[in-house]
Amino acid sequence: MQQTNQIDELLKLLTYPAFSVHDGTVTHVNSAAYQRQISPGTEIAHLLHTGKDAYDAFTDGRLHLQLCVADTVWNASVTKAMGADIFLLENTADSQELRILSLAALQFRFPLAEIALLTDKLFNDEALKGSDIPERLNRSLMTMQRLIGNMSDAPRYSRNANCAMQNRDIVAFIEEILEKCKALAEESGYKLELIIPVRELFVSFSPERLERAIYNMLSNALKFSPVGSTITAKLEKCKDVVMFTVSDEGPGLPENVTGNIFTRYLREPVIEDSRFGMGLGMMLVCATASAHGGTVLVRQPKGKGLSVTMTLLAKPGNPGDIRSNIIHVDYSGGHDHALLELSDALSPELYKK
């Protein structure tokens, strides 16, 4: 009885729709969830839109998946507490916050472009020869461009709009990205270990979204890892699911960050460690997983470090059909993708003109 009261009190504190599940059945709901036609006694299997296998195997950490409630698809995070699975729902398909970010990003692009032009001139300034100011400024500009790009694209990603799929060898695609990241990480003082036991695998996926998701996962690992430590990137296939995991040896995340890791862009502004950023990177990772019928699992293994796993449904593709007819616009504005996406984690030395 005491545990039941504790769960009820916890759910009442949550403003978003939330409910608890025990033995596969919804047991408690808050008023926001009840208003959306979620009621005790409902079998969770009937609500799962993506991530059934991931949820069945879920034992700890925080899992991102999707539910279908009253014909509406919701993003949801799941965590274990007080002997139950606590589900927290969030519908970002038409988020006012994301639209505001996108409009702000549009205004930032113009002054940023002018600053970039002026920065180019600094690399030819004799007075700055031998100084690291130009490359530090160049790296900061790329970091700003990356942030503005995330702000601009967040609404499109959350709605799964313009998600152009291609049938390609996903192993070769990811391996190429990781090999480039490995070289850059080593030049910045880190070791990137690659574990890729699976070979050629043709599936349908969005190259742009998958690339950006991978870079975001690696960027987070680099930012929070001490120089000299090892970051592990692992690509696996289990049944009909492709699993990509990035693990680091950093300090892990404090509870106040872990608790809202999938929706940090919605939090109230506070002064905190700047490495946490706006939280849009993890939103893009989750949106990428959802667009491919997958999930995201964040775990803190005992000891130290953080492990983030993104899964994608391995829908078979035809090796002969490897290109989309949709016109592709380079999201980086012509910059090197790896240098742009990892700009807040790499050494300034890599940003010399």
Side-chain angles (χ1 to χ4, degrees):
M1 179 63 70
Q2 181 180 1
Q3 188 180 72
T4 297
N5 292 336
Q6 289 177 333
I7 293 176
D8 276 334
E9 291 302 316
L10 172 63
L11 295 179
K12 287 178 182 177
L13 293 174
L14 301 175
T15 56
Y16 283 97
F19 60 90
S20 63
V21 172
H22 183 70
D23 289 337
T25 303
V26 177
T27 55
H28 303 80
V29 302
N30 65 5
S31 58
Y34 187 76
Q35 291 171 9
R36 287 158 181 81
Q37 303 178 34
I38 302 174
S39 57
T42 303
E43 293 185 20
I44 189 62
H46 295 160
L47 301 179
L48 290 173
H49 183 68
T50 64
K52 182 181 184 304
D53 290 340
Y55 177 63
D56 289 341
F58 177 57
T59 57
D60 67 318
R62 187 169 289 266
L63 177 67
H64 176 277
L65 43 69
Q66 288 187 316
L67 303 179
C68 186
V69 180
D71 297 324
T72 299
V73 175
W74 292 76
N75 291 323
S77 63
V78 192
T79 189
K80 291 186 177 291
M82 294 174 282
D85 295 337
I86 307 298
F87 281 73
L88 179 63
L89 277 61
E90 181 217 346
N91 186 353
T92 59
D94 191 30
S95 169
Q96 180 180 359
E97 291 87 352
L98 294 181
R99 292 199 304 275
I100 292 173
L101 287 177
S102 182
L103 290 171
L106 183 63
Q107 298 302 312
F108 287 142
R109 287 184 184 277
F110 302 107
L112 181 62
E114 184 174 4
I115 294 173
L117 289 174
L118 295 173
T119 302
D120 283 341
K121 296 182 179 180
L122 292 178
F123 283 90
N124 299 317
D125 191 330
E126 291 296 329
L128 292 176
K129 294 296 184 182
S131 168
D132 66 348
I133 291 177
E135 46 262 41
R136 286 170 56 193
L137 182 55
N138 193 37
R139 185 184 66 169
S140 296
L141 283 169
M142 282 204 183
T143 300
M144 289 176 62
Q145 183 168 345
R146 173 179 181 256
L147 175 58
I148 289 171
N150 286 350
M151 292 167 60
S152 176
D153 293 335
R156 176 169 63 91
Y157 270 58
S158 69
R159 296 192 306 269
N160 284 333
N162 300 325
C163 188
M165 300 290 189
Q166 297 180 9
N167 292 325
R168 296 175 61 175
D169 181 0
I170 195 172
V171 178
F173 180 81
I174 292 178
E175 194 168 29
E176 182 179 354
I177 294 173
L178 294 180
E179 287 292 347
K180 185 167 188 177
C181 290
K182 181 178 180 180
L184 293 173
E186 289 178 352
E187 289 189 59
S188 297
Y190 302 91
K191 180 182 178 182
L192 179 57
E193 181 180 0
L194 309 182
I195 303 176
I196 310 178
V198 62
R199 289 294 91 192
E200 183 179 90
L201 178 63
F202 281 84
V203 299
S204 180
F205 66 95
S206 168
E208 176 194 311
R209 297 194 181 208
L210 182 56
E211 179 185 67
R212 292 176 76 176
I214 290 172
Y215 280 136
N216 270 289
M217 292 169 69
L218 289 170
S219 173
N220 287 335
L222 287 167
K223 283 189 297 185
F224 289 95
S225 296
V227 174
S229 64
T230 298
I231 296 163
T232 303
K234 186 175 183 180
L235 179 65
E236 306 171 276
K237 183 178 183 295
C238 182
K239 297 181 180 179
D240 61 345
V241 173
V242 177
M243 304 171 64
F244 178 70
T245 302
V246 174
S247 304
D248 63 54
E249 299 176 347
L253 296 176
E255 181 58 35
N256 68 311
V257 174
T258 307
N260 64 359
I261 192 169
F262 300 132
T263 56
R264 286 184 57 73
Y265 59 92
L266 295 174
R267 71 192 187 281
E268 291 292 328
V270 294
I271 298 175
E272 60 181 8
D273 189 331
S274 62
R275 292 177 299 176
F276 292 123
M278 294 180 66
L280 288 175
M282 184 56 71
M283 194 225 85
L284 296 182
V285 174
C286 291
T288 297
S290 297
H292 294 81
T295 62
V296 176
L297 174 63
V298 178
R299 296 179 59 249
Q300 298 203 77
K302 293 181 180 179
K304 62 178 180 178
L306 192 73
S307 175
V308 180
T309 298
M310 175 178 62
T311 69
L312 315 171
L313 282 183
K315 297 180 180 179
N318 179 2
D321 181 18
I322 61 172
R323 289 292 181 268
S324 167
N325 292 325
I326 297 177
I327 297 176
H328 177 70
V329 178
D330 184 3
Y331 69 87
S332 74
H335 292 291
D336 181 284
H337 291 192
L339 289 176
L340 178 75
E341 294 291 342
L342 302 178
S343 57
D344 53 358
L346 297 178
S347 168
E349 288 293 313
L350 295 171
Y351 291 85
K352 291 182 178 179
K353 288 289 186 179

